[in-house]
Amino acid sequence: MLMTPGLAFFYAGMVRAKSVLNMLMANVVCLVVVGLVWAVVGFDLTFGDDGGPGLIGSIGTAGDHWSVTQLAGFAGDGVPWPGAHAVPVLAFAMFQLMFAVITPALISGAVAERTRFWPWVVFVALWSVLVYAPVGHWVFAFDGFLAPDAVGGWIANRLQAVDFAGGTVVHMNAGAAALALAVVLGRRKGWPDVVARPHNLPFTVLGAALLWFGWYGFNAGSALSADGLAAMAFANTTVATCAAVLAWLLVEQLRTGRPTTLGAASGAVAGLVAITPACGFVDLWGAIAIGVVAGVICPLTCALKWRLRLDDSLDVVAIHLVGGLVGTLLVGVFGTTAVNAALPADGLVHGGGFTQLGRQAVAAGVVAGYSFVVTLLLGYLIRVTIGFRASAEAEAGGLDLHEHAETGYDVTATRSGVGPEGGADGRVPPGPLPVPRHATDPGRIPVQAPPILLDPHRNRGADPRHSRDLGHASRGVPAPRREQG
């Protein structure tokens, strides 16, 4: 659960001050909405006995898993089902809920600063059923886990592609959906000619730290037992992330002449994403290699959105879709049965040939394609029925006021000791804030650039005074006009 507020802070620091609360709300509400959907139907659709040819779980009586006596596990080594490492179904359901919650929350970064709140809530509820549940069933539902005769998903059991902790189900799924929603909602007003700076990079660093901490629960916890495999996943998560941060910073140094704070935070998340599907299948050197590859490819991919003119606001596609793809494919390169005997075949460098790599590629392609197409259709359906995008007025004035009637930074209260005038409930009525329009005003975007700025498209020896904002240099931003006010 810690990862969802961690993601909220990670994203909130990168948006403008006038939409920080909306970004926080878009993430936190996923916990609320998906929590209820998961308890009623989501878990059964994802892990229930197969209701089709490996495509979706079936729903018997809603809430059947809400029991203190049901166990899940695997038979083996002469031990009847549920085996020696059985877990309560309810505990497993709550563990898996956290994956289901953070996946739609990841999508919110691609459409930051232009999405209406209530249509977003509707989208999250429908998407968790129509997209997350089927994909989760394909990849995570194994035969014989919830019951001795239970039938699971086709990717896990028939194709035999593997995903230890969510590289396809969470990250590629969210990344492909983010790409689709960015298409549906279109670009922010003025983008890419006007590019806003991250308003609070300490928030982003705090969020990255919380994510890194919580990621150990995801990756090591996916072993479902406190054993050597969990320890291996824990260790691999650490070294891959460290390698990714260093690789990302080196790419920045070579391209822009400086390493950045935003780059370090982004590199950490990219490394965590990439090692997620592989953490229980690779050794030390495989984990380091995966981290390095993600730390190089993801920042280079971030720059593509400027050439494609695709406004993926917070680089969800480059970090989660591409990072998840890197980790998923590299299981077929660096995976080894010496680490995990459940891996169907050794990876390429361990003499297993291209068999597992081919399986991983099929799984990645199917998950990304399904998520993109269904999300695109769902997004357009919401857009033409209840409206998805905020108005131009709301976007210009900030979603905090127009969607939530409050602001993240109350300058009036800071200066006078009292809040701005509002209703009896103390909330700020929608409308312009009484804030002076000058560059030193806290909570607003400075008009003048900081003294040390970087341009990834200039030579390293160029005069930094003519470069762009440090906060975006690490992600390949071209030279835009700076937003005024």
Side-chain angles (χ1 to χ4, degrees):
M1 180 177 172
L2 179 67
M3 294 181 71
T4 300
L7 180 67
F9 275 106
F10 181 73
Y11 280 168
M14 287 189 278
V15 300
R16 285 170 284 193
K18 59 188 178 182
S19 294
V20 59
L21 297 180
N22 180 260
M23 193 74 259
L24 292 168
M25 285 283 284
N27 282 262
V28 174
V29 78
C30 292
L31 181 60
V32 177
V33 174
V34 180
L36 289 175
V37 172
W38 187 256
V40 176
V41 297
F43 177 77
D44 293 318
L45 291 173
T46 306
F47 290 98
D49 196 17
D50 192 72
L55 299 180
I56 192 72
S58 58
I59 302 175
T61 302
D64 269 353
H65 59 279
W66 213 262
S67 167
V68 297
T69 59
Q70 290 188 27
L71 296 176
F74 295 103
D77 298 327
V79 180
W81 186 91
H85 300 288
V87 296
V89 170
L90 192 55
F92 178 74
M94 291 300 99
F95 175 65
Q96 287 294 332
L97 168 62
M98 300 302 111
F99 292 78
V101 166
I102 203 169
T103 307
L106 291 170
I107 303 170
S108 66
V111 291
E113 301 186 305
R114 59 195 187 276
T115 307
R116 293 173 56 215
F117 178 73
W118 285 114
W120 171 253
V121 171
V122 173
F123 169 81
V124 168
L126 294 175
W127 191 89
S128 67
V129 172
L130 298 176
V131 180
Y132 184 87
V135 171
H137 184 76
W138 302 346
V139 179
F140 280 168
F142 286 90
D143 292 346
F145 181 66
L146 286 188
D149 57 350
V151 178
W154 69 276
I155 288 179
N157 301 287
R158 263 68 83 193
L159 178 63
Q160 293 189 310
V162 296
D163 180 353
F164 194 79
T168 54
V169 177
V170 176
H171 300 291
M172 290 196 67
N173 197 3
L179 177 61
L181 274 198
V183 172
V184 171
L185 270 71
R187 300 193 293 264
R188 287 167 290 178
K189 297 298 181 183
W191 190 93
D193 296 322
V194 177
V195 178
R197 301 192 310 155
H199 92 282
N200 193 330
L201 283 177
F203 266 18
T204 298
V205 174
L206 171 64
L210 293 173
L211 284 169
W212 192 338
F213 178 77
W215 224 289
Y216 289 129
F218 266 20
N219 287 5
S222 292
L224 300 182
S225 182
D227 56 11
L229 183 59
M232 179 64 78
F234 195 119
N236 284 340
T237 300
T238 302
V239 298
T241 307
C242 294
V245 172
L246 288 177
W248 190 301
L249 294 179
L250 286 172
V251 169
E252 282 189 325
Q253 184 70 37
L254 293 173
R255 296 189 65 203
T256 71
R258 296 288 195 282
T260 68
T261 305
L262 179 59
S266 302
V269 174
L272 290 164
V273 168
I275 196 59
T276 293
C279 60
F281 300 111
V282 300
D283 58 17
L284 169 65
W285 303 111
I288 293 175
I290 290 171
V292 170
V293 172
V296 172
I297 290 180
C298 289
L300 297 177
T301 307
C302 286
L304 288 179
K305 73 177 183 180
W306 304 97
R307 293 186 174 90
L308 299 174
R309 299 181 71 83
L310 175 74
D311 189 9
D312 170 16
S313 305
L314 307 183
D315 299 309
V316 180
V317 175
I319 293 178
H320 294 276
L321 177 59
V322 175
L325 177 63
V326 165
T328 299
L329 293 180
L330 291 184
V331 172
V333 176
F334 298 110
T336 171
T337 54
V339 170
N340 189 339
L343 182 67
D346 281 320
L348 187 62
V349 301
H350 294 284
F354 289 92
T355 301
Q356 194 62 38
L357 179 59
R359 293 166 174 165
Q360 300 298 115
V362 171
V366 171
V367 168
Y370 176 82
S371 179
F372 178 83
V373 171
V374 178
T375 303
L376 192 71
L377 296 174
L378 178 59
Y380 276 120
L381 177 63
I382 294 175
R383 174 178 159 177
V384 301
T385 53
I386 61 175
F388 212 154
R389 179 165 178 152
S391 67
E393 178 187 7
E395 189 175 341
L399 298 187
D400 288 356
L401 275 176
H402 285 264
E403 289 291 311
H404 309 292
E406 54 189 353
T407 61
Y409 304 98
D410 190 345
V411 179
T412 305
T414 301
R415 292 177 175 173
S416 65
V418 296
E421 293 182 1
D425 58 0
R427 294 186 299 168
V428 182
L433 280 174
V435 180
R437 293 180 176 272
H438 54 77
T440 58
D441 202 344
R444 301 190 65 81
I445 304 299
V447 174
Q448 295 186 350
I452 300 178
L453 302 176
L454 307 175
D455 188 339
H457 298 293
R458 295 182 183 271
N459 293 329
R460 291 175 58 193
D463 185 348
R465 292 174 297 174
H466 301 296
S467 300
R468 74 187 49 77
D469 181 11
L470 177 67
H472 284 280
S474 64
R475 290 186 171 181
V477 178
R481 292 186 295 107
R482 190 175 308 283
E483 183 185 26
Q484 304 294 315

